[in-house]
Amino acid sequence: MSFNSDNLISRMDRVQSPLIPLVGKLIQNNPGTISLGQGVVNYPPPEQAIASLQSFLAESNNHLYQGVTGIEPLKAVIQAKLATDNQIEINHQNSIVVTAGSNMAFMNAMLAITKAGDEIILNTPYYFNHEMAIAIANCYPVLVSTTKDYQLDIKALSQAITPKTKAIVTISPNNPTGAVYSADSLQGVNDLCRDRGIYHISDEAYEYFTYDGAKHYSPGSFPHSEAHTISLFSLSKAYGFASWRIGYMVIPQHLLMPIEKVQDTNLICPPVVSQYAAMGALKTGIVYCQQHLPQITRVREIVGNQLRSIPHLCQVSSASGAFYFFLKINTKLDDLKLVKQLVKQYRVAVIPGSTFGIENGCYLRVAYGSLQPSTAKLGIERLVIGLQDICS
């Protein structure tokens, strides 16, 4: 009897297919397309990150397995950064775990705090890899709508909690909306999680990308938050580190052994060469990202002004953080069909809103972090013309 794969049922059948590779294939098949899709920056890692690789090569033991949760010199640098930038103190109640990117940190958390059938509350629109990780862990996302300007609805979050709820996830600054949550709002979620005996998972990958006076707050800095707060950080954005795959998490001390079990099984240890590069990057500090923010801010203005010039075609929400605009398009067209048409006919790529959990209406995420001003001008002009032609 021949093998018949149709007889197999996998947990992966419940997991949505990632849209970024699909859009990437569309771009590849349509040369000259300007991507407003993937969330990356246009600058490289700091020179100090590359220089630190010499220290890695100078020690032969670095080619062997290292600590499951990261090398101690890097964790010391992270501890200092957390104290300075996030007002998070590392003590006997919490711990740092270095990961292969913050997506891995989120997956670690899912496997460490849940059992099959548990629920995780996501604010919509959500970050699609979070929803996918929840499904991979044989758990279920409970979707809670944000307000009209994509801020947190504490009352709705409270009403969504059930005996199966294990965590509420917040992302600030937000992917995909660019919203930044206030200290009061994040404190409300954190207090709610403490009072209801669940975790607050705070994704802070875009912590340095704020505009118009907006300020980022870390829930892990709130008093008495250590026992129920899981904070996720990434070097991918601020330090141009996307392919180096280094992030880290701050976890309650009681989760250290469960997460060590997960990470030792999936990874053994984070890539040591990348950890050395991360040490060099983090030693440059927030200043490295800040020196690139003026150009990103200029690109943000170009993109935002163009989008706001067509209010009859799209609604642009206030976005004070990250490097995204989340658009509601005034059309009945399917968002993925619209994305394909924009690439094939107008050579501009965006991401459909449905991959972020928005099913009612046509939404698009526009990413601008990777663009030079001239490219941004051309790309957003193509998008505006395409929307005018297709949706008018």
Side-chain angles (χ1 to χ4, degrees):
M1 179 182 294
S2 61
F3 179 78
N4 182 3
S5 62
D6 292 339
N7 293 330
L8 297 179
I9 298 176
S10 166
R11 73 185 67 198
M12 302 309 293
D13 294 339
R14 289 180 48 224
V15 180
Q16 67 163 301
S17 297
L19 258 292
I20 295 290
L22 173 63
V23 174
K25 189 69 173 179
L26 282 171
I27 294 171
Q28 182 181 345
N29 292 339
N30 293 273
T33 296
I34 294 175
S35 176
L36 306 177
Q38 195 161 30
V40 293
V41 295
N42 63 10
Y43 54 85
E47 291 181 6
Q48 293 91 324
I50 307 304
S52 67
L53 300 182
Q54 294 301 318
S55 298
F56 166 81
L57 294 170
E59 177 54 65
S60 60
N61 284 340
N62 283 333
H63 302 294
L64 304 176
Y65 296 130
Q66 300 292 328
V68 173
T69 62
I71 58 176
E72 293 305 319
L74 174 56
K75 289 198 283 187
V77 173
I78 291 172
Q79 180 171 340
K81 176 266 181 188
L82 289 167
T84 301
D85 294 356
N86 306 95
Q87 292 72 57
I88 295 176
E89 178 187 356
I90 301 301
N91 51 41
H92 66 280
Q93 295 180 289
N94 56 16
S95 190
I96 295 168
V97 176
V98 181
T99 58
S102 61
N103 275 2
M104 179 170 215
F106 188 84
M107 191 77 245
N108 283 353
M110 288 301 96
L111 295 174
I113 70 173
T114 67
K115 62 182 181 300
D118 281 341
E119 298 172 350
I120 303 294
I121 295 177
L122 298 180
N123 294 280
T124 56
Y126 54 62
Y127 173 45
F128 52 84
N129 281 135
H130 286 173
E131 189 270 345
M132 294 166 70
I134 293 165
I136 290 171
N138 272 355
C139 295
Y140 294 91
V142 174
L143 308 184
V144 174
S145 297
T146 48
T147 66
K148 65 179 181 179
D149 55 352
Y150 301 117
Q151 293 296 312
L152 300 171
D153 186 334
I154 306 298
K155 181 178 179 180
L157 290 169
S158 177
Q159 293 172 342
I161 296 173
T162 76
K164 291 186 176 182
T165 303
K166 286 302 177 70
I168 297 174
V169 180
T170 60
I171 309 171
S172 182
N174 188 261
N175 176 13
T177 68
V180 178
Y181 304 148
S182 69
D184 287 346
S185 186
L186 289 168
Q187 182 80 68
V189 173
N190 199 261
D191 290 349
L192 175 63
C193 291
R194 181 197 62 219
D195 295 344
R196 303 292 287 272
I198 61 177
Y199 293 99
H200 180 183
I201 301 177
S202 173
D203 187 326
E204 304 177 38
Y206 299 88
E207 59 181 324
Y208 297 151
F209 297 90
T210 56
Y211 318 95
D212 301 332
K215 185 177 179 181
H216 168 67
Y217 296 94
S218 295
S221 68
F222 299 153
H224 313 297
S225 64
E226 294 94 341
H228 64 279
T229 305
I230 299 171
S231 305
L232 313 181
F233 299 92
S234 171
L235 274 71
S236 294
K237 316 302 181 183
Y239 295 99
F241 245 59
S243 71
W244 291 84
R245 306 316 306 138
I246 286 291
Y248 53 97
M249 57 196 307
V250 179
I251 60 172
Q253 187 66 28
H254 64 261
L255 288 179
L256 182 58
M257 182 53 69
I259 284 178
E260 283 187 346
K261 292 177 182 179
V262 175
Q263 185 142 302
D264 183 60
T265 301
N266 285 335
L267 187 66
I268 298 182
C269 66
V272 179
V273 64
S274 295
Q275 292 189 69
Y276 268 77
M279 276 193 288
L282 287 171
K283 286 177 181 178
T284 68
I286 187 176
V287 175
Y288 184 72
C289 179
Q290 287 178 332
Q291 71 188 29
H292 295 284
L293 281 181
Q295 179 169 292
I296 292 177
T297 301
R298 174 60 183 146
V299 170
R300 175 176 177 265
E301 292 172 353
I302 293 170
V303 173
N305 289 340
Q306 284 285 336
L307 292 173
R308 283 186 283 270
S309 73
I310 51 170
H312 59 294
L313 291 178
C314 74
Q315 299 172 27
V316 186
S317 64
S318 174
S320 299
F323 31 74
Y324 306 110
F325 288 110
F326 200 64
L327 314 181
K328 182 178 181 181
I329 310 301
N330 298 329
T331 180
K332 294 183 179 180
L333 291 174
D334 173 79
D335 60 356
L336 184 54
K337 289 182 179 178
L338 176 57
V339 167
K340 290 179 178 179
Q341 199 167 349
L342 286 167
V343 173
K344 292 176 180 178
Q345 296 182 16
Y346 298 90
R347 296 297 190 270
V348 62
V350 290
I351 303 297
S354 54
T355 197
F356 303 100
I358 302 297
E359 301 294 344
N360 297 322
C362 182
Y363 290 77
L364 303 175
R365 190 193 75 174
V366 174
Y368 56 84
S370 66
L371 304 177
Q372 301 289 338
S374 58
T375 309
K377 185 175 185 296
L378 179 57
I380 202 63
E381 285 175 352
R382 290 182 183 181
L383 178 60
V384 167
I385 291 171
L387 291 176
Q388 288 173 330
D389 292 348
I390 297 169
C391 302
S392 295

